[in-house]
Amino acid sequence: MTTTRGRPGTAQVMLKRLVDACTQAPSKVSHLAWAHPENGPLLAGGTSTGRVLFWEAPRPLSNSAQSSMDEDMEDMREWRQSSEMACSKKPVCALSFAPRQLGLTVAAGCADGSVHMLEADRVLAPNSWTHQCKFQAGPQCSSLSWRPFSPGVAPLIAVASGRQVDVWQYLQSIMAWQVGMEAPHACHLSSCIRVWSLNVHVFQNRQYMRVCGSGCCPVAMQRVAELPSSETGAEVSCVHWAPTMGRPCELVAAARGSAVDIVSLNGDTSSLKTELLTTLQHGEAVWRVEFNMLGTCLATATEANLVHLWKPDFVGRWLLVSVVAGSPDAAVEDEDVD
């Protein structure tokens, strides 16, 4: 968060103002996402009514204006709700800003399985947003994760929905979304994680056409690979795409119940090859997974209020290196920590 100049405690006051702005929203805010710092202090919030709210921090004051402002008046400068977008009648279950190279864009996944792409009309002053497109990723969306940007690689977004994992591809030739990879988990019709990709030029020009299997569009969804999984009964609670950082393969982590699958992806999107590298077992249900900025460490947060840190050894085996208690009353059980 960008802080403003002032007497000690100003940053804490600004943080309190931000919390107040979120709690005073007309509907319950259940999910939050920060924009890239390049876009300034911008926060998006998903609500229980299917809307996405955007808040902006107060603009920094000049030295002369700040010196003339009373300290109490400075504390009154609040976060401002700059915009509001309606996405669905169902609650927003996931929010994720796109990599900054794609512009100021946020993806919102809803409880009805729809995913909405919202783009700011102006990157430097995002006072208004445009609903670019919508696609149906499954019966219910539970998590979103963009693939980190790489030159020459189409943008990809992973969408978790129930117990299945799919990879989707955007076809530049027909300007449409297409499934790039699908990993069935128990039942094709019940739930899925899908990874969608799109062409940057078409994305920025807002030209979209949904590709579906009903024959109403020029090209149907094409399944080109299967993403393996370990557990058959648990739904996916969170998915995260590891930063590439020169790695020869892509890594995706998906939390399913008390297990976390780490899957590698290799090859072109037209012929993806996948492999289940390992399954990390936990004593409790896993709520959140996230790689570090190098993709060399995976953090997993469990229902027991514990955070597990995993790292691969020199032969690629992922080992538990640390367990952190999230609160003083969280019990850290005796586990094999290497």
Side-chain angles (χ1 to χ4, degrees):
M1 180 186 300
T2 301
T3 59
T4 57
R5 300 177 183 177
R7 70 185 191 280
T10 299
Q12 289 79 1
V13 172
M14 295 296 292
L15 179 59
K16 182 179 182 301
R17 295 293 179 183
L18 172 58
V19 174
D20 292 341
C22 295
T23 55
Q24 293 172 5
S27 54
K28 180 181 178 181
V29 178
S30 57
H31 291 79
L32 296 171
W34 285 101
H36 190 275
E38 184 178 277
N39 303 116
L42 177 64
L43 181 66
T47 70
S48 58
T49 58
R51 294 177 175 271
V52 177
L53 309 179
F54 297 93
W55 291 278
E56 288 185 274
R59 298 293 180 183
L61 296 174
S62 62
N63 293 333
S64 58
Q66 197 165 31
S67 59
S68 62
M69 175 178 285
D70 183 78
E71 291 182 349
D72 293 334
M73 292 180 60
E74 182 180 359
D75 287 348
M76 293 301 293
R77 300 176 67 228
E78 300 181 356
W79 283 71
R80 178 179 63 90
Q81 181 179 326
S82 59
S83 187
E84 178 179 346
M85 294 292 295
C87 294
S88 172
K89 295 182 179 180
K90 298 294 184 179
V92 175
C93 299
L95 278 177
S96 182
F97 276 92
R100 60 181 180 82
Q101 294 86 348
L102 302 181
L104 188 50
T105 303
V106 63
C110 301
D112 59 1
S114 61
V115 178
H116 305 256
M117 296 292 180
L118 310 175
E119 184 187 27
D121 292 341
R122 292 186 298 171
V123 175
L124 298 180
N127 295 323
S128 61
W129 294 72
T130 300
H131 192 286
Q132 286 192 336
C133 74
K134 165 190 172 182
F135 59 86
Q136 193 70 25
Q140 181 178 0
C141 178
S142 59
S143 181
L144 297 169
S145 181
W146 288 86
R147 180 191 182 277
F149 177 82
S150 295
V153 179
L156 299 169
I157 184 170
V159 183
S161 178
R163 298 185 292 271
Q164 189 174 312
V165 179
D166 301 328
V167 174
W168 294 72
Q169 178 182 4
Y170 185 83
L171 296 182
Q172 178 181 358
S173 58
I174 62 170
M175 297 185 299
W177 288 94
Q178 176 177 339
V179 62
M181 178 170 59
E182 178 180 357
H185 199 287
C187 176
H188 284 280
L189 300 179
S190 60
S191 51
C192 58
I193 292 182
R194 291 176 178 172
V195 178
W196 298 76
S197 65
L198 62 150
N199 174 265
V200 179
H201 174 74
V202 177
F203 185 78
Q204 293 176 344
N205 286 275
R206 308 171 193 167
Q207 300 175 8
Y208 296 91
M209 178 172 55
R210 168 72 194 282
V211 177
C212 64
S214 61
C216 61
C217 299
V219 178
M221 293 185 295
Q222 177 183 356
R223 175 184 171 186
V224 297
E226 181 175 319
L227 189 63
S229 58
S230 58
E231 256 181 67
T232 58
E235 295 187 350
V236 178
S237 58
C238 185
V239 61
H240 191 253
W241 205 308
T244 53
M245 300 298 290
R247 189 182 297 106
C249 65
E250 305 282 343
L251 292 181
V252 176
R256 304 175 186 274
S258 60
V260 175
D261 294 334
I262 299 181
V263 181
S264 66
L265 292 78
N266 287 281
D268 188 77
T269 52
S270 61
S271 57
L272 282 174
K273 297 179 181 179
T274 63
E275 179 184 359
L276 178 60
L277 297 179
T278 187
T279 299
L280 310 178
Q281 297 292 343
H282 299 71
E284 301 289 341
V286 180
W287 286 353
R288 179 85 175 179
V289 296
E290 187 166 337
F291 288 95
N292 66 348
M293 63 181 301
L294 298 178
T296 57
C297 182
L298 176 67
T300 59
T302 68
E303 192 175 24
N305 208 9
L306 299 176
V307 176
H308 298 70
L309 300 179
W310 307 80
K311 282 188 174 184
D313 60 11
F314 64 95
V315 294
R317 294 177 303 179
W318 285 79
L319 306 175
L320 179 63
V321 296
S322 181
V323 180
V324 182
S327 63
D329 57 346
V332 180
E333 300 179 357
D334 294 335
E335 303 189 47
D336 295 331
V337 178
D338 296 293

